[in-house]
Structures are given as structure tokens and as C-alpha cells.
Amino acid sequence: MNKKVKIKRNWKVPKGQPLTAFDEKILSFQEAGCLVPKNSLIKTPQQIEGIRRSGVINTGVLDLVAREIHPGMTTLEIDKLVYEYTKDHGATPAPLNYYGFPNSCCTSINDVVCHGIPSADEVLEEGDIINVDCTTILDGYYADASRMFIIGKTTPEREKLVRVAKECLEEGMKACKPWTFVSDMGLAITRHAHKNGYTVVREYCGHGVGNEFHEEPEVEHYATRKGAGMLLVPGMVFTIEPMINGGGWETCGDEMDPTEWIALTEDGEDSAQWEHTFLMTEDGLEILTY
Ligand code: MF3
Ligand code: CO
Ligand code: CO
């Protein structure tokens, strides 16, 4: 007996309309059993323009944080900068009240993997490494990016982790061509992390973005083979945002955090992350959050 493999037919061709070459290409992957995007994940030129404009503000926010961040500053002060700049530019910080998230950005220090919550009690100390993750909504369009900042002078180990995490994002970008799969990108990231003695977080991933904060596909950064996850085609907009751990890949919650947002490394080792929002084009990725 043949085992029937059920194909998820995400791609729909409107009835009575001629197939375009683009339709035919996606359909051939779909019939081969690959996970392909649903039609609505292909952004229109108007949507792309909106996301691009949102990205300009999001980059302005992170540039402001880059200028202002210093030892002795609290993470709540960072949050205030993010909130005010975003509002002053006619936009809204997406994290605020998102499924109960209490602030305008995420501030994740040292062993915090992601979703750190800004606080008046949290003071940046010399040697800390911090990820500031900002997402802007402008005219209904979302752009999402994060950067690492080193507070003053840190150890060579932390410097390396921050650098390699950035390289992981760059390696992922290079591997990410149209008509390849999410895991082709993830494999490039995983190889670079492992080569440097680090691990890739598995519980949190990148995501489609633009019309909403988190859309399909799930963009997993950990992979062991090519050809898995969703097919990436021109017109899709998504983030790549690898979280790279100095120790093991496992994460856990913070017992002291009633919101249950904060993610820590299970072993207490450091973690670093960089993120951009990308448009897939005919020749590869375009960064929308530069
Ligand atoms: N910006 C994060 C991401 O990259 C998501 C943060 S959700 C929040 O997907 F509610 F914590 F802000
Ligand atoms: Co983000
Ligand atoms: Co994101």
C-alpha cells in the first residue's frame, strides 16, 4: 500500500484566470510536496512601500538608542526614548500592550535571550551586552529590528559572542535566495554558530511581518538540512533574528516575571541577537530596516 502524503495546498489560483509563470513555479513546488506561502504572504507594491516607510522610523529609533545608550542608564530610560521618538514620528511602538507586554521595546541583557522588559530598577553596567528590539507600526505597517550594544568595555568572550551573532545574521542573509527554503538559511546560521562553539536557540524564531507583527512563515534559525520549512519567493517580507547562546541552546522563563514574557538561557550563559526585516526580491534579500 502506498502511504498517502497530504499536501497543504496554500497557493490558490483564482478560477478562470490564466496561470502566470510565477503561479506555475510555485505550483510545481507545491505538487512536489513542499510548504509554499499562501497568496496573501506576497506583498503588493503598496504594502512594501508602507513597510519600507515604517522601517525608516524603526531605524531612526535604533540609531537614537545607539547615540544615547550609556553605563548608568536604566532600561526604562531606553524604553522612554523609543516611545517618544516613535510617537513624535506619527507611529506606534508595536510591543506596547502586545499580548500583555508592558513596554515599547524589549531590552535583553546578558543571559536574557529575548523579550526582556524595561525596568526602572535595571541599570546598565560597564561590560553588559544588551539587545534592544524595536518594532514600529506606521499607517498599519510593521517593521521589526534589533541590535546589540556593548556597554563601555566588555570581556573578549562577550565581544566575540556579539560579533559572531551578527555574522550569523549575515551568513543567513547570504544563504537566503529566492526559491530556497527557510532551513537553507537556518543551516548557514547553525554552521557558523557551531563553528564558533556556540548554539542556536530553537524555541524562538523569526517570522513573516508587515501587515501584522507576526505572520507566517516561522523562520527557524536552527536547521540540520536544506529544503525544510517554507519556500521563500519574491514579494515575501520576513525577519531573520538568530539568538546565539554562549552555552546550551535551551531557554527558560524567569520565575520573577509575572508577564511570562522574559526568556533566559537555562544555563545562565550569555546570549546575543541581531534582527532585520527583509524583502525577498528576484536577486536576494533587501534590508528594509537599514
Ligand atoms: N520584536 C520581537 C520579535 O522580534 C517580538 C517582541 S514581542 C513583545 O519578534 F511583545 F515582546 F514585544
Ligand atoms: Co524584533
Ligand atoms: Co521579530
Side-chain angles (χ1 to χ4, degrees):
M1 236 274 266
N2 275 336
K3 194 166 168 216
K4 276 195 191 156
V5 180
K6 189 146 167 46
I7 298 177
K8 198 171 174 198
R9 289 195 164 74
N10 277 340
W11 192 259
K12 301 275 193 292
V13 182
K15 284 206 179 65
Q17 237 160 276
L19 285 187
T20 64
F22 189 79
D23 284 321
E24 292 199 8
K25 197 162 178 184
I26 291 199
L27 287 173
S28 72
F29 279 98
Q30 177 160 275
E31 292 315 309
C34 302
L35 179 64
V36 306
K38 54 186 185 198
N39 303 56
S40 62
L41 294 185
I42 313 301
K43 264 59 177 184
T44 65
Q46 185 191 338
Q47 290 169 340
I48 291 167
E49 223 23 66
I51 301 164
R52 200 188 293 287
R53 290 176 59 230
S54 184
V56 171
I57 295 173
N58 205 60
T59 300
V61 175
L62 284 167
D63 287 345
L64 173 66
V65 172
R67 287 194 298 274
E68 297 292 329
I69 201 163
H70 62 267
M73 189 180 201
T74 69
T75 48
L76 194 64
E77 291 176 273
I78 297 174
D79 187 70
K80 195 160 184 299
L81 288 176
V82 171
Y83 179 82
E84 309 260 298
Y85 183 99
T86 306
K87 284 290 174 189
D88 286 349
H89 287 76
T92 305
L96 193 56
N97 301 320
Y98 180 74
Y99 291 102
F101 193 84
N103 290 81
S104 298
C105 62
C106 300
T107 49
S108 305
I109 301 177
N110 300 339
D111 65 330
V112 181
V113 172
C114 62
H115 305 159
I117 298 178
S119 159
D121 302 328
E122 190 171 54
V123 180
L124 296 180
E125 286 175 25
E126 180 91 11
D128 281 343
I129 55 172
I130 178 175
N131 174 278
V132 180
D133 191 340
C134 296
T135 309
T136 298
I137 315 173
L138 180 69
D139 301 332
Y141 296 111
Y142 292 74
D144 183 10
S146 78
R147 298 180 199 166
M148 295 299 297
F149 301 100
I150 295 174
I151 305 305
K153 201 175 154 38
T154 194
T155 62
E157 289 77 16
R158 281 182 168 169
E159 247 172 41
K160 181 182 168 197
L161 180 64
V162 169
R163 171 176 60 77
V164 171
K166 190 176 194 185
E167 290 168 1
C168 282
L169 174 56
E170 291 160 354
E171 290 299 316
M173 283 163 57
K174 272 194 265 166
C176 209
K177 298 292 173 207
W179 310 102
T180 67
F181 293 86
V182 166
S183 83
D184 303 18
M185 178 278 297
L187 191 61
I189 288 175
T190 303
R191 284 190 175 141
H192 192 68
H194 289 181
K195 198 170 76 187
N196 284 280
Y198 299 145
T199 60
V200 181
V201 168
R202 303 184 194 179
E203 290 100 327
Y204 298 90
C205 54
H207 49 93
V209 66
N211 301 337
E212 291 168 51
F213 199 163
H214 295 106
E215 305 173 6
E216 284 180 62
E218 286 192 348
V219 179
E220 292 190 28
H221 308 103
Y222 174 77
T224 54
R225 66 178 178 96
K226 289 191 179 185
M230 194 175 278
L231 180 71
L232 299 170
V233 308
M236 291 173 77
V237 175
F238 53 89
T239 71
I240 305 176
E241 48 179 302
M243 287 139 274
I244 305 300
N245 291 355
W249 57 266
E250 295 87 353
T251 65
C252 64
D254 180 343
E255 280 172 25
M256 306 295 287
D257 166 29
T259 73
E260 298 186 6
W261 266 104
I262 304 174
L264 309 171
T265 59
E266 204 174 77
D267 57 15
E269 297 289 331
D270 293 327
S271 185
Q273 175 183 31
W274 296 78
E275 173 180 27
H276 274 307
T277 293
F278 299 97
L279 167 66
M280 182 58 86
T281 75
E282 302 287 343
D283 342 281
L285 292 179
E286 181 190 337
I287 304 177
L288 299 181
T289 43
Y290 246 160

